[in-house]
Amino acid sequence: MKALNRKRNKVNIVYTGRFSDSGILSGPELTAKSIFNQHCLKEPSVFIQYYFDGRKYSLIKKLFGRTEKPVLNEVNLNNGKVLTLGIFRIIPELRKIKPDIIHLLTFERFAIIFYLYSLLFRVKIIYNSHGVIQYENKILKKVTGIYRVKDKFCERIFLKYSDKVIFPSVNTLNIAEKYYYFDEESVVILPNGIDNIFFSKKEKTETAKRLRAVIHHKNTLNDSGIKQLFDTLATADIQLDIHIITNTELKLPENDKINFIITGIMGSNELADFYKDKDIFLSLNSYDTFSIATAEAMASGLIPVITSETGISRYIDNAVNGFTFDYHLKTDLLKILNTIIGMRIEQRYDISNAAAQSIDSLTWQNIYEMYEPLYDSMIK
């Protein structure tokens, strides 16, 4: 994209979706918070969300409630606020703000009301599709009944009636095209970003003779291929320590030559420190739209070993800055691990350094700067 003229026009953007202040965020939540914060570093903005927890809030609150919370970004500029609104408060609030653009950063069903507003008042709207919800509900989550119907209806509206749809990878776009028809002229491919803490330069010291691998196991949707890993290594004849970052109880395979170590899910600061003496990062999903976790590990100097079905695979050149393999070719995983274990330490260092360098542009500041020309083009 062309570089922006720094004397750019102000764009009044309202962000929406789900804003979370908790230490451990999902990929979509991290993207929403980071893009909003980056925008607020340059000009004031508002993030609108809903009262999601039905058990916590009354019906009156969910219909007519309004809660305002200021947001301090990374340099403590109080340029942003999060409004949590009941359904019938959203359109009146938008009428007061009069946005040029509405940017839906995460999939939330309540956001259907922003498309009604867009239709009535001809406001441009952007949707970040972090994954294909209909595919996830059918194949991965096994969602049934009314929720599946609601999700399908909302996703169809979001994809069809957004002026721009942002996908984190071509993989995601290809799956979406199997389920929906939408205007390809509206499609933009933009990567996700990484917190700065993972880019801090760390001197990799020689670890123990046994290499140390890391794999995340969050939930059914994002299990990082843990079953495939267990099946592959159950009888493998390799020396390896594997750290599994999870809060889920797992039945570990018995293999005298492989140590499986369970570690609880961590926040960014703790995780970046944890990566200092690790060597390999495993992401073995059959479906992963981008994998911020892989990018974080690469920035920390871990050698990625991931499936080609993972969206971030486009950043990896085999045996140069990591390794990719087809999810269905399970024997390739063991071959790759044997290759890495058999390398001289200098070779591993070269790949580790190349992994970090290949994604050093994926800071949230740089990612947001990819959004700015998009915003400008939509109001010209």
Side-chain angles (χ1 to χ4, degrees):
M1 293 183 180
K2 294 180 180 180
L4 274 180
N5 185 332
R6 287 300 94 190
K7 293 182 180 179
R8 56 193 299 268
N9 293 326
K10 261 189 155 184
V11 185
N12 186 9
I13 303 173
V14 165
Y15 292 90
T16 186
R18 186 183 295 256
F19 188 94
S20 177
D21 271 327
S22 67
I24 299 172
L25 305 178
S26 68
E29 289 172 343
L30 177 59
T31 300
K33 184 175 183 179
S34 300
I35 294 299
F36 178 64
N37 282 341
Q38 287 297 322
H39 182 78
C40 291
L41 286 171
K42 300 193 174 184
E43 52 197 66
S45 189
V46 173
F47 193 110
I48 295 176
Q49 64 175 354
Y50 178 61
Y51 293 96
F52 292 111
D53 191 340
R55 297 164 296 181
K56 184 177 178 181
Y57 301 107
S58 67
L59 178 61
I60 296 296
K61 197 82 169 175
K62 293 172 74 175
L63 294 178
F64 303 104
R66 185 185 189 278
T67 304
E68 181 175 326
K69 181 180 179 182
V71 175
L72 294 175
N73 56 38
E74 59 193 48
V75 294
N76 291 324
L77 285 175
N78 190 3
N79 267 358
K81 62 182 178 181
V82 174
L83 296 180
T84 306
L85 302 175
I87 288 295
F88 293 121
R89 291 294 295 267
I90 293 175
I91 288 183
E93 197 72 41
L94 290 172
R95 291 296 293 149
K96 286 193 293 184
I97 299 170
K98 293 182 170 55
D100 299 310
I101 295 172
I102 296 169
H103 191 162
L104 174 56
L105 285 163
T106 65
F107 176 88
E108 307 294 344
R109 288 191 296 268
F110 88 94
I112 200 77
I113 199 164
F114 289 90
Y115 288 81
L116 174 60
Y117 180 87
S118 173
L119 178 66
L120 292 174
F121 299 102
R122 300 187 180 280
V123 174
K124 301 291 186 180
I125 193 161
I126 304 172
Y127 169 53
N128 276 62
S129 175
H130 299 279
V132 183
I133 305 302
Q134 185 181 172
Y135 171 83
E136 293 173 4
N137 285 349
K138 181 179 179 181
I139 306 299
L140 302 175
K141 297 180 184 177
K142 307 296 184 185
V143 173
T144 58
I146 190 63
Y147 292 106
R148 186 167 164 180
V149 173
K150 287 180 179 179
D151 284 350
K152 180 179 178 180
F153 172 77
C154 290
E155 187 170 45
R156 185 181 298 278
I157 295 296
F158 297 170
L159 290 173
K160 185 174 181 180
Y161 293 105
S162 294
D163 296 278
K164 294 293 179 182
V165 179
I166 297 174
F167 291 99
S169 66
V170 175
N171 300 42
T172 323
L173 170 62
N174 291 340
I175 295 174
E177 288 179 325
K178 295 178 182 178
Y179 288 86
Y180 300 104
Y181 170 79
F182 50 93
D183 183 4
E184 289 200 5
E185 291 294 318
S186 70
V187 171
V188 181
I189 306 294
L190 291 178
N192 291 324
I194 313 165
D195 283 342
N196 289 337
I197 186 66
F198 294 100
F199 289 103
S200 58
K201 299 299 182 185
K202 309 175 186 70
E203 286 295 326
K204 281 282 186 182
T205 57
E206 184 171 357
T207 60
K209 291 182 180 178
R210 295 169 64 91
L211 294 187
R212 298 167 180 174
V214 178
I215 187 169
H216 288 239
H217 174 71
K218 293 182 180 178
N219 48 48
T220 304
L221 178 59
N222 186 8
D223 68 359
S224 293
I226 199 79
K227 184 178 185 305
Q228 172 167 321
L229 179 68
F230 288 170
D231 290 346
T232 301
L233 298 183
T235 58
D237 186 19
I238 59 173
Q239 300 279 344
L240 191 64
D241 289 345
I242 298 182
H243 295 262
I244 305 172
I245 298 178
T246 185
N247 289 339
T248 303
E249 188 174 336
L250 298 171
K251 183 178 180 181
L252 303 175
E254 296 181 4
N255 186 323
D256 293 338
K257 296 188 177 182
I258 299 176
N259 293 330
F260 292 97
I261 304 105
I262 302 291
T263 303
I265 292 176
M266 296 169 266
S268 294
N269 290 341
E270 190 179 359
L271 184 61
D273 188 63
F274 177 80
Y275 281 155
K276 285 181 179 178
D277 63 349
K278 306 304 184 293
D279 306 290
I280 302 168
F281 185 82
L282 303 170
S283 182
L284 314 177
N285 279 318
S286 61
Y287 168 83
D288 198 326
T289 59
F290 183 78
S291 184
I292 291 176
T294 300
E296 292 170 346
M298 290 172 68
S300 299
L302 278 69
I303 298 172
V305 177
I306 71 173
T307 56
S308 54
E309 288 80 1
T310 300
I312 201 173
S313 61
R314 73 181 187 272
Y315 286 88
I316 296 177
D317 187 3
N318 261 315
V320 175
N321 67 334
F323 297 86
T324 63
F325 67 99
D326 190 297
Y327 173 81
H328 300 287
L329 301 178
K330 298 184 179 182
T331 55
D332 284 3
L333 171 59
L334 190 54
K335 291 177 184 176
I336 291 171
L337 291 175
N338 273 314
T339 296
I340 297 172
I341 291 170
M343 286 178 174
R344 289 179 288 109
I345 191 168
E346 294 80 10
Q347 290 176 290
R348 290 201 298 271
Y349 281 178
D350 287 344
I351 296 177
S352 168
N353 290 332
Q357 291 171 9
S358 64
I359 55 155
D360 63 3
S361 64
L362 296 186
T363 65
W364 282 115
Q365 179 182 351
N366 288 343
I367 298 303
Y368 175 76
E369 288 176 359
M370 298 179 188
Y371 281 77
E372 286 186 312
L374 181 62
Y375 293 149
D376 286 350
S377 68
M378 292 179 70
I379 62 168
K380 286 181 179 177

